[in-house]
Amino acid sequence: MFTGLIEELGIVKNIKLSNEGMEITIQCNKIPVNVKIGSSISINGACQSVTKFDKNSFTVQASNETLKITNFKNLKLNDYVNLERPLTLSQRLDGHIVSGHIDCIAKFIKTQNDGFSKHFFFQLPQNFTKYVIYKGSIAVNGISLTVASIENNIFSVVLIPSTLKEVNLPFLKQGDFVNIETDLFAKYVEKIVKSNKDTNINYEFLTENGFL
């Protein structure tokens, strides 16, 4: 589990493609501290296992399934990626619970200035919009953010200057793709409701309170 609070921007230093997937080496300073083989690292929000490391870099092997779902297939040398180590039991949950399991990718549409903050607009696949609600939590490239607006399949998030300095969203170009993890609880509610159609569930209550 992760919090969605980015610890460091890493730089993609090596990419090796094969029939088995993609090996990615990332240069960074903070993340390799106390890392070991098999450690989980969130890269742009996708949980990956360390296969090699040294004092200023680490390597992961992304499976073909990961490449299908994430924006890893679009990575290039010297791209910046958001990095976070897993949540510990003694750590404050200042973001929200992020599993590191990417649901889909979303297309970057535009930015819009709003005083000292900046709105980022993204286009989601239509079938994932049901998990995105106004003022709900969402992870964009692994960053814990609050949904500022949602209209059809276009949603926006707002980043303040201090966050903009720590993440890779300012490097996005129109048409680029970001990794999206929607709210975990919304998916559990959907699963429970679908699995209990014949039980005594108060659907009116769930609908009135925005769960359905």
Side-chain angles (χ1 to χ4, degrees):
M1 289 291 184
F2 304 89
T3 67
L5 301 182
I6 304 306
E7 293 186 78
E8 183 177 12
L9 277 176
I11 302 173
V12 176
K13 282 304 178 184
N14 196 34
I15 295 174
K16 291 182 182 177
L17 274 170
S18 69
N19 291 333
E20 287 74 36
M22 177 188 285
E23 185 176 84
I24 311 165
T25 298
I26 297 170
Q27 178 183 310
C28 51
N29 297 314
K30 297 179 185 177
I31 298 300
V33 176
N34 296 324
V35 80
K36 59 184 179 181
I37 301 300
S39 292
S40 294
I41 305 293
S42 171
I43 304 171
N44 277 354
C47 181
Q48 298 289 289
S49 296
V50 173
T51 57
K52 292 183 286 189
F53 69 95
D54 58 32
K55 65 180 181 179
N56 58 10
S57 71
F58 69 94
T59 299
V60 299
Q61 292 177 326
S63 67
N64 285 322
E65 178 64 20
T66 297
L67 298 183
K68 288 178 186 176
I69 297 172
T70 70
N71 62 6
F72 283 12
K73 55 184 170 289
N74 301 320
L75 287 177
K76 304 180 296 297
L77 293 180
N78 296 317
D79 275 356
Y80 288 99
V81 289
N82 296 327
L83 302 175
E84 183 190 354
R85 287 169 293 190
L87 175 68
T88 64
L89 292 178
S90 61
Q91 189 173 338
R92 286 191 177 93
L93 186 61
D94 290 323
H96 74 280
I97 295 175
V98 179
S99 70
H101 303 153
I102 302 303
D103 291 309
C104 63
I105 55 176
K107 183 186 290 186
F108 172 57
I109 304 299
K110 64 178 181 178
T111 59
Q112 181 178 301
N113 291 325
D114 182 14
F116 60 80
S117 60
K118 182 172 287 190
H119 287 251
F120 286 75
F121 291 81
F122 301 93
Q123 183 179 36
L124 273 171
Q126 194 69 47
N127 57 319
F128 285 97
T129 58
K130 59 186 175 181
Y131 303 122
V132 180
I133 63 171
Y134 176 61
K135 297 302 181 182
S137 295
I138 193 166
V140 180
N141 268 359
I143 312 161
S144 175
L145 295 167
T146 301
V147 177
S149 67
I150 174 74
E151 184 174 352
N152 297 320
N153 64 332
I154 305 293
F155 77 94
S156 72
V157 292
V158 179
L159 280 76
I160 60 175
S162 59
T163 304
L164 288 169
K165 293 177 183 178
E166 303 295 329
V167 301
N168 63 2
L169 295 194
F171 301 103
L172 290 174
K173 300 180 182 64
Q174 190 175 36
D176 284 349
F177 289 91
V178 294
N179 292 331
I180 297 294
E181 183 184 331
T182 57
D183 192 346
L184 184 65
F185 297 110
K187 288 175 277 190
Y188 277 122
V189 170
E190 180 187 50
K191 177 67 173 178
I192 292 168
V193 170
K194 284 184 176 180
S195 300
N196 291 277
K197 285 294 185 182
D198 298 325
T199 62
N200 187 25
I201 291 179
N202 190 335
Y203 292 102
E204 184 177 349
F205 171 83
L206 293 175
T207 301
E208 288 177 352
N209 288 275
F211 292 107
L212 296 176

